[in-house]
Amino acid sequence: MALSEELPIYKATFSMLGMVVERVKSFPRFYRYTVGEKMVNINLEMISLIDRKSVDYDKLPLIIELCDRYHMLVMLFRLSVEQHLLTPAQYARYAMQINIIGRQLTGWKQHNNMSMLARKIYASCL
């Protein structure tokens, strides 16, 4: 198993964290402490979950929690665009990172589902 820091999802999430921290500084005060702070915290939680996923045996709860955080982050980005905190051009920069994270999460979910299916088939053969 690769170190979590070498995974594309970790790199994309960490890169997005740096971008979000820089951008949130220019949010109006109300949004900085509501939307911006939540975006930073979700990024940090996602990094922590990615680290834990690489060492935990039962990965399904971590994948589910990571997917929940991912969907919340996407929603906050959409809200930021609607509230004119981010321009569509600025959002496009984040969209690349969001896409990388989403593809990796989809792959993890599919792999986990196939692993569970294989375990059930193996158990039924015994």
Side-chain angles (χ1 to χ4, degrees), residues 24-34 83-85:
V24 165
K25 290 178 185 178
S26 65
F27 280 9
R29 177 173 285 174
F30 174 77
Y31 292 109
R32 186 179 320 139
Y33 295 110
T34 54
Q83 295 296 316
H84 305 288
L85 303 172

Side-chain angles (χ1 to χ4, degrees), residues 50-83:
I50 292 166
D51 279 338
R52 285 180 37 211
K53 186 221 174 260
S54 63
V55 295
D56 279 3
Y57 178 75
D58 189 14
K59 296 177 185 335
L60 181 60
L62 295 175
I63 293 172
I64 292 170
E65 195 171 340
L66 193 53
C67 286
D68 288 343
R69 299 291 189 279
Y70 169 77
H71 291 297
M72 177 63 76
L73 188 62
V74 169
M75 187 270 310
L76 288 170
F77 274 112
R78 289 180 183 162
L79 177 68
S80 297
V81 172
E82 288 179 9
Q83 295 296 316

Side-chain angles (χ1 to χ4, degrees), residues 6-51:
E6 296 173 3
L7 297 172
I9 189 171
Y10 183 93
K11 290 177 182 178
T13 306
F14 192 79
S15 174
M16 188 165 40
L17 174 63
M19 292 166 38
V20 167
V21 166
E22 277 302 309
R23 184 66 190 137
V24 165
K25 290 178 185 178
S26 65
F27 280 9
R29 177 173 285 174
F30 174 77
Y31 292 109
R32 186 179 320 139
Y33 295 110
T34 54
V35 176
E37 187 175 333
K38 187 72 172 168
M39 291 169 83
V40 170
N41 288 337
I42 288 174
N43 265 285
L44 291 169
E45 291 169 5
M46 288 174 66
I47 290 171
S48 173
L49 289 168
I50 292 166
D51 279 338

Side-chain angles (χ1 to χ4, degrees), residues 102-113:
R103 282 187 285 150
Q104 182 72 52
L105 283 174
T106 301
W108 281 353
K109 285 192 306 189
Q110 290 174 349
H111 180 270
N112 193 62
N113 289 341

